[in-house]
Amino acid sequence: MRRLTRTERILLWGVPTVLGTYLVVLAVRGNGYNPLLDGWLALACDWAAVALVWAACARVRPRRLDVVCAALALTALALGDTANRVLPTGVGPTWLPSPADLCYLAFYVCMMGALAVLARRSLRGQAWSVLLSSAVGGLGATSLLAVVLSPTIEAALNGPFSAAVLMRIAFPVFDLLLVATLAGIASAPVTVLGRHGLLLVAGLVMFAAADVMHALRLPEDAVPLGVALYAGWAVGFALITGWVLVTVRLRRRSPRAALGSTTATTAVAVPVVATAAGLGVLLLASQTHVSLLAVCLAGSTLALATIPLAFRQRILHSLSRTDELTGLPNRRALAMDVSARLRAPDARPSALLVLDIDRFKEVNDSLGHEAGDRLLSRIGERLAGVLRSGDLLARLGGDEFAVHLHHADAQRATAMANRLRAVTARPLVVDGLSLELGLSIGIALAPEHGSDLGGLLRNADIAMYAAKTTRMGQRIYSTGDEKNDAMRLRTLQELRVALAEDQLVLHYQPKVNLRTNSVHGVEALVRWNHPTRGLLHPGEFLDVAEQGGLMRTLTSTVLRLALDQAALWHARALPLTIAVNLSSRSLADFRLAGIVVDMLESRGLPGSALMLEVTEEFLLVDRDRARAILVRLRDAGVMIAVDDFGTGYSSLAYLRDLPIDELKLDQSFVIPMLDDDRASALVASSIHLGHSLGLRIVAEGVETAEVLEQLTRFDCDVAQGYFLSRPVPAAALEAWLVDRAAATGTAVPLAVAGIE
């Protein structure tokens, strides 16, 4: 959600204040119409609300047609109230609606337009179902209204034609038609309006009640009735305004499937209630006089209600096999169709592919679930576009899809996997950002790897994880993968235990200043002190942690261990800055800055005791989000480094725009720089670029004295690598500092020198 401007905050507090004052005045004033209180105070409330709505709409990007239509509806309502109170009444021909009535009619047109946009955008192929439900609900409500308004309707039919009387009858009908439309949308098996849609329903019901009172020409000079009438209009206006504001404040959401029991209930609720209303009117007509119009409307309701009840069953059956987000077949459809194919007497060899989007969780966490939903829909469209007739694409859930290739062998399955990966690798633009994603695909062949869907899914899933772990992109299942999958699951479970029992330890690799030959910082590298497998390096468990959803817990543990060690060193007059690598998912958490600051403060450490190393990928996916998070960290004194610099594929403008202290040249450029002129040129130019922007440059992967000398000639600031020191435990690092000080003649803190 965005922040409110000062004007919006003033209006947000002003509208309920004026409304409350108006309602209090209504309750305590005497009989009669007061121009100041009943006129200008009510108009002030109307126009303050309209100003607030348009101020909010002006900041919505991209512009939303449903919100604009709703804002126009409220504006028309305010114009109608103004015309009703300012312009003279009883002027002009009786067959012509007044300017106020025309504005009120415009309100209904614009509000219906807003609902139509919502229904068209969110309900896809369910429009006929919604239309039928709305029509049945509208007829049922109108038949009841015709009974209630019988005196007014008969008077209008027996007397001279008057547009004012016609509008007096039409307005409550229009109110209930809008409510019926909302009921029709709510009866669809997806959530479109959300809970805040109740504000709109309540506002329209308040309007309907007040309009019915007005249509019956009840004595408004009676204080209770007059208060109820004017308060109903004012509160209804405020509730609809609240609905528009909440809709503006919330990001546009993709429609989501409703719960199964809720779906079944709402699917038949509207026609059942409408049928009950129609039957009630017909029963009443058998006992007493009821207008012919009410009887006709009730009969039409019963006739039309039978259509949605039958039509809905077909819709529900179709929707039960359809993924609401992408419109693709869902897991249930896959199970039914593939199982039928495999059991067919003439079944031929086929293949099942399980697809998982690489790094989708990072994008989802960084850009939000709405952007993630749009991304899944776009990818689903691309995947469907490359399949042949007879192939079946389904969404299993989350970021996983499945493809069943009819009449396919290993060669065709491999070729299709290549096509699917190629079409997904093309850049996708979501919310103005160009994203490049990959697929990991596991392939299981029938009947070789399974004769039923359950076995094929299991084996394809195992192969997919093997492809993801080895970064192969795709893999055909083999029996060895099952052993690896069992190892992966066992490692994941053991890692959970390791995090709970503090089996993780940190080793530290020093970063040497090439100008002063001193050490002011180290990089913390995590190790797993496994009880049976010994000391494990990150490559043996980080992928498992990422796939198992443990990365944030692991990151928190690493930060805790690093800052505990920093506190010990600072207490011993060894103020080393400890650099910690953070995953993109950890960085996408807006709570990160607050968590880091609390950890520093609880240990009495300055922000400079910690440096966080981030990847270019995080900086390039959502620059605004990255800026917000990094600025908060920098304000706390925490330093920021870009790790693996040079491996990204995008603009370098982020170096100017984001608060960065240090660039770490990736070792893939540093290691071959003596034998590769292009690598050497890239290192030199990167150092020059960083210095021109006021950034410190760190070279990783320094493994020889010759590379160190070359970096010194290039004026590199800091170096780290095996030539200087491997990552070692804290105690070994302290001993290394003492030995290095003795060998180079540099000073070493007395607290460290005393350990010998």
Side-chain angles (χ1 to χ4, degrees):
M1 294 186 182
R2 60 176 181 82
R3 293 185 177 181
L4 295 174
T5 64
R6 181 182 179 184
T7 301
E8 288 176 323
R9 288 196 297 270
I10 293 174
L11 289 171
L12 188 61
W13 285 102
V15 171
T17 301
V18 175
L19 175 63
T21 303
Y22 176 60
L23 294 178
V24 170
V25 168
L26 282 178
V28 301
R29 71 169 174 82
N31 295 343
Y33 175 81
N34 187 308
L36 176 62
L37 301 180
D38 296 327
W40 297 109
L41 187 60
L43 291 180
C45 185
D46 285 358
W47 286 108
V50 170
L52 178 60
V53 167
W54 281 110
C57 289
R59 299 186 64 190
V60 177
R61 295 292 185 274
R63 196 74 69 197
R64 290 178 52 180
L65 186 56
D66 56 328
V67 172
V68 172
C69 287
L72 287 172
L74 289 175
T75 305
L77 207 55
L79 286 172
D81 288 347
T82 303
N84 193 42
R85 288 168 171 80
V86 174
L87 298 180
T89 59
V91 179
T94 58
W95 54 267
L96 187 66
S98 68
D101 287 341
L102 291 175
C103 291
Y104 293 145
L105 287 175
F107 161 77
Y108 295 106
V109 172
C110 293
M111 189 58 68
M112 187 61 75
L115 297 181
V117 171
L118 279 174
R120 182 177 181 275
R121 174 173 61 83
S122 303
L123 300 176
R124 295 190 178 99
Q126 306 167 45
W128 279 107
S129 172
V130 171
L131 182 61
L132 283 172
S133 295
S134 300
V136 171
L139 283 173
T142 306
S143 66
L144 286 176
L145 200 61
V147 174
V148 176
L149 297 179
S150 288
T152 304
I153 294 174
E154 291 180 359
L157 293 176
N158 296 328
F161 177 79
S162 170
V165 175
L166 180 62
M167 293 297 101
R168 197 187 297 265
I169 298 172
F171 289 150
V173 174
F174 291 153
D175 292 329
L176 292 181
L177 283 177
L178 287 177
V179 173
T181 302
L182 287 169
I185 294 175
S187 69
V190 291
T191 301
V192 177
L193 291 172
R195 293 182 179 178
H196 65 283
L198 294 175
L199 292 173
L200 178 58
V201 174
L204 292 174
V205 169
M206 293 293 292
F207 271 177
D211 287 339
V212 168
M213 292 175 56
H214 186 60
L216 292 174
R217 302 187 67 85
L218 297 177
E220 298 175 14
D221 54 345
V223 173
L225 293 175
V227 170
L229 180 65
Y230 290 106
W233 282 328
V235 173
F237 191 103
L239 289 171
I240 297 175
T241 301
W243 172 73
V244 176
L245 292 177
V246 174
T247 302
V248 170
R249 289 276 287 164
L250 291 176
R251 289 184 176 183
R252 178 183 296 181
R253 295 180 176 178
S254 302
R256 297 187 180 275
L259 297 176
S261 59
T262 304
T263 299
T265 301
T266 57
V268 297
V270 174
V272 166
V273 172
T275 301
L279 285 173
V281 171
L282 293 179
L283 287 174
L284 182 64
S286 67
Q287 302 297 322
T288 185
H289 172 70
V290 174
S291 67
L292 180 61
L293 177 62
V295 173
C296 292
L297 289 171
S300 300
T301 301
L302 294 178
L304 195 60
T306 59
I307 299 177
L309 288 174
F311 185 77
R312 178 87 49 188
Q313 297 305 315
R314 183 168 62 87
I315 291 293
L316 288 177
H317 176 72
S318 175
L319 290 175
S320 69
R321 293 170 46 88
T322 304
D323 177 63
E324 295 295 344
L325 178 62
T326 62
L328 296 172
N330 57 17
R331 181 184 286 268
R332 179 177 180 177
L334 180 76
M336 296 174 63
D337 294 348
V338 175
S339 296
R341 290 181 177 185
L342 295 175
R343 290 195 303 265
D346 59 344
R348 295 172 57 185
S350 61
L352 183 70
L353 283 63
V354 171
L355 292 62
D356 185 85
I357 303 173
D358 297 333
R359 301 183 295 106
F360 174 77
K361 292 180 180 179
E362 296 176 6
V363 175
N364 206 37
D365 291 343
S366 298
L367 300 185
H369 294 288
E370 295 83 6
D373 289 347
R374 289 193 291 276
L375 184 61
L376 287 173
S377 297
R378 297 279 301 281
I379 290 177
E381 293 171 0
R382 286 191 175 185
L383 297 175
V386 301
L387 298 180
R388 299 178 181 178
S389 176
D391 296 339
L392 175 63
L393 169 66
R395 180 177 176 231
L396 298 178
D399 61 340
E400 282 195 347
F401 296 82
V403 175
H404 184 255
L405 303 179
H406 208 28
H407 301 167
D409 55 10
Q411 183 177 0
R412 188 194 165 207
T414 302
M416 179 56 71
N418 287 327
R419 294 179 65 187
L420 293 171
R421 291 176 56 212
V423 74
T424 307
R426 297 203 308 262
L428 273 167
V429 178
V430 177
D431 289 351
L433 298 172
S434 179
L435 304 177
E436 296 182 8
L437 299 175
L439 281 180
S440 293
I441 302 177
I443 303 171
L445 305 174
E448 180 181 348
H449 300 143
S451 57
D452 60 3
L453 179 63
L456 290 174
L457 268 176
R458 176 178 176 276
N459 292 335
D461 197 57
I462 291 173
M464 182 273 292
Y465 274 110
K468 185 180 287 288
T469 302
T470 58
R471 292 179 170 82
M472 294 173 57
Q474 63 193 58
R475 184 180 179 89
I476 297 178
Y477 170 79
S478 67
T479 53
D481 293 335
E482 191 161 354
K483 181 179 179 181
N484 293 333
D485 187 66
M487 173 64 75
R488 180 182 64 85
L489 293 176
R490 184 165 60 253
T491 301
L492 180 61
Q493 178 58 34
E494 291 174 347
L495 183 57
R496 290 193 177 97
V497 175
L499 290 169
E501 297 181 355
D502 289 332
Q503 294 178 12
L504 299 186
V505 296
L506 296 184
H507 286 193
Y508 301 90
Q509 187 172 42
K511 299 161 67 175
V512 178
N513 189 305
L514 297 184
R515 294 191 180 92
T516 63
N517 209 25
S518 58
V519 177
H520 297 288
V522 296
E523 180 178 358
L525 299 165
V526 66
R527 302 288 188 264
W528 180 2
N529 191 12
H530 195 282
T532 59
R533 297 163 60 187
L535 195 66
L536 303 182
H537 286 237
E540 299 179 77
F541 60 88
L542 283 187
D543 285 340
V544 173
E546 183 70 32
Q547 296 168 16
L550 297 179
M551 188 55 73
R552 287 184 178 176
T553 304
L554 192 149
T555 300
S556 178
T557 299
V558 171
L559 280 172
R560 173 176 57 81
L561 293 173
L563 292 179
D564 285 346
Q565 185 60 54
L568 290 175
W569 279 336
H570 278 240
R572 296 166 56 193
L574 184 60
L576 292 174
T577 297
I578 299 181
V580 175
N581 283 281
L582 292 185
S583 68
S584 297
R585 183 178 298 184
S586 300
L587 287 163
D589 189 350
F590 269 119
R591 299 172 298 176
L592 174 68
I595 293 172
V596 169
V597 171
D598 289 343
M599 295 178 76
L600 288 167
E601 291 179 349
S602 66
R603 293 164 175 79
L605 291 171
S608 58
L610 178 65
M611 173 178 287
L612 297 180
E613 297 186 0
V614 303
T615 62
E616 288 184 281
E617 176 187 0
F618 165 71
L619 301 177
L620 298 174
V621 168
D622 188 347
R623 193 173 301 174
D624 292 337
R625 187 184 185 97
R627 176 193 292 277
I629 295 173
L630 297 185
V631 165
R632 290 183 63 193
L633 290 167
R634 286 293 286 111
D635 289 344
V638 177
M639 291 182 284
I640 306 298
V642 177
D643 196 18
D644 300 332
F645 177 71
T647 59
Y649 300 94
S650 189
S651 168
L652 296 178
Y654 72 87
L655 296 178
R656 176 198 63 204
D657 299 335
L658 299 176
I660 297 170
D661 301 286
E662 183 175 285
L663 297 181
K664 300 193 71 175
L665 300 180
D666 187 66
Q667 61 182 357
S668 62
F669 300 117
V670 175
I671 292 175
M673 60 183 293
L674 295 180
D675 303 318
D676 188 336
D677 292 339
R678 297 182 65 182
S680 180
L682 284 171
V683 171
S685 60
S686 297
I687 293 172
H688 177 73
L689 172 65
H691 287 166
S692 67
L693 295 173
L695 303 176
R696 184 169 54 252
I697 306 298
V698 178
E700 297 182 292
V702 178
E703 298 185 350
T704 65
E706 292 78 13
V707 169
L708 186 64
E709 293 173 2
Q710 182 80 305
L711 290 169
T712 303
R713 287 194 295 270
F714 286 163
D715 199 24
C716 183
D717 301 300
V718 179
Q720 71 178 94
Y722 283 6
F723 176 73
L724 298 167
S725 173
R726 290 176 175 270
V728 293
L733 176 69
E734 294 172 356
W736 180 88
L737 289 173
V738 172
D739 293 342
R740 179 176 177 80
T744 60
T746 57
V748 63
L750 294 177
V752 178
I755 68 173
E756 294 292 314

